[in-house]
Amino acid sequence: MKRRSFIGALTSFLLLPLREIVEAVCNPSVVHFFHHGRHLVQARSNNGKSLALGSHFLQWYGHSSFLIHSGSQTKVVADPNFNVTPGIQADAVTISNDHFTHNNTGAVTGNPVILRGITFKQTWQPIRTSVKDITIVNIPSQRSANWGAIANSIFVYEMGSLCLAHLGNIGHLLTDEQVKVLQRVDVMMVPIDAMTNLGFEDVIKVIDQVKPPIVIPMHYDIARQAELFAVFAKEHYPVKRVAESQLTLNRSMLPKTTEVYVLAHPRSTGFGD
């Protein structure tokens, strides 16, 4: 995707009529309640009440595959991979890019809604919808120049008053427009393999741009890769190692400033894309 078409896609998304946007609440610059008489619930606000405190969680299955689980049992799988997520049951699946380690929808059971962030022609495809109590929107981005700068999709998920972002296989620093969309993200999943995506220095720059309370490294298949990133990242942000591959989420557990949470790797399967 060339820069001009990328900016055009993002501008078109920002100017979408309100009637086309389903009640996402993560960021007031792009999403609104348009058919309810409620005020916006702002992430990082102490005024709103979260669903059943402590009942949301994020489960990492390896590579870039996550299960996002809301307090009411709604389940969304991000970037399913046959090697790490076979047979996971979910209500919806999101696909950030069309590589076979990210788009294996057949690995997810339960007749989920399939939300592809890019088309089969490798161009960005806008998503703005709600799956039960999880609202999902995406914004256009690109993979690295090594992949011909083809489309990548950044997905943003809202559940309760929590806002999560999965950067997919992002291959560039964020634009000003993207930063505006992501400015209220609480948990950001970032690829750190430093081989086919951004190098460590640029990953830190992306984190600096958003400054989410929690950063979760992803897109690696050997625990040693995360250790290398942790050594680099600790010069910039506190690094916490989580003994499990699952993280319970609620507003009260969010750190006041950015911290990197390295989840325990569920398995080692070798290098991916």
Side-chain angles (χ1 to χ4, degrees), residues 218-236:
M218 67 170 183
H219 200 275
Y220 64 94
D221 301 303
I222 297 175
R224 176 62 176 162
Q225 292 173 285
E227 288 302 314
L228 292 173
F229 176 72
V231 169
F232 185 88
K234 72 178 183 180
E235 300 299 323
H236 305 270

Side-chain angles (χ1 to χ4, degrees), residues 153-175:
S153 190
I154 297 172
F155 274 93
V156 180
Y157 313 84
E158 170 82 17
M159 55 183 184
S161 61
L162 290 171
C163 186
L164 290 67
H166 186 292
L167 299 191
N169 277 12
I170 190 170
H172 55 84
L173 300 183
L174 298 170
T175 65

Side-chain angles (χ1 to χ4, degrees), residues 11-21 124 126 128:
T11 301
S12 298
F13 172 71
L14 294 173
L15 296 178
L16 282 171
L18 292 183
R19 67 177 180 272
E20 295 185 9
I21 301 177
W124 179 68
R128 50 218 175 268

Side-chain angles (χ1 to χ4, degrees), residues 174-233:
L174 298 170
T175 65
D176 291 342
E177 293 88 353
Q178 289 170 328
V179 172
K180 289 178 183 178
V181 175
L182 298 174
Q183 64 185 335
R184 295 180 183 275
V185 164
D186 299 300
V187 180
M188 188 166 73
M189 292 155 269
V190 182
I192 56 94
D193 66 298
M195 296 171 61
T196 57
N197 297 298
L198 298 174
F200 288 173
E201 290 187 4
D202 283 339
V203 170
I204 295 298
K205 289 178 182 178
V206 169
I207 296 171
D208 290 342
Q209 288 179 293
V210 179
K211 292 183 172 63
I214 294 176
V215 172
I216 297 179
M218 67 170 183
H219 200 275
Y220 64 94
D221 301 303
I222 297 175
R224 176 62 176 162
Q225 292 173 285
E227 288 302 314
L228 292 173
F229 176 72
V231 169
F232 185 88

Side-chain angles (χ1 to χ4, degrees), residues 62-66 77-82 84-85 93-97 101-104 108 152-153 155 157 166-169 218-219:
H63 205 64
S64 297
S65 298
F66 288 85
V77 170
D79 283 16
N81 181 327
F82 269 125
V84 297
T85 49
V93 173
T94 60
I95 306 295
S96 69
N97 67 87
T101 58
H102 296 256
N103 70 353
N104 279 304
V108 183
N152 175 66
S153 190
F155 274 93
Y157 313 84
H166 186 292
L167 299 191
N169 277 12
M218 67 170 183
H219 200 275

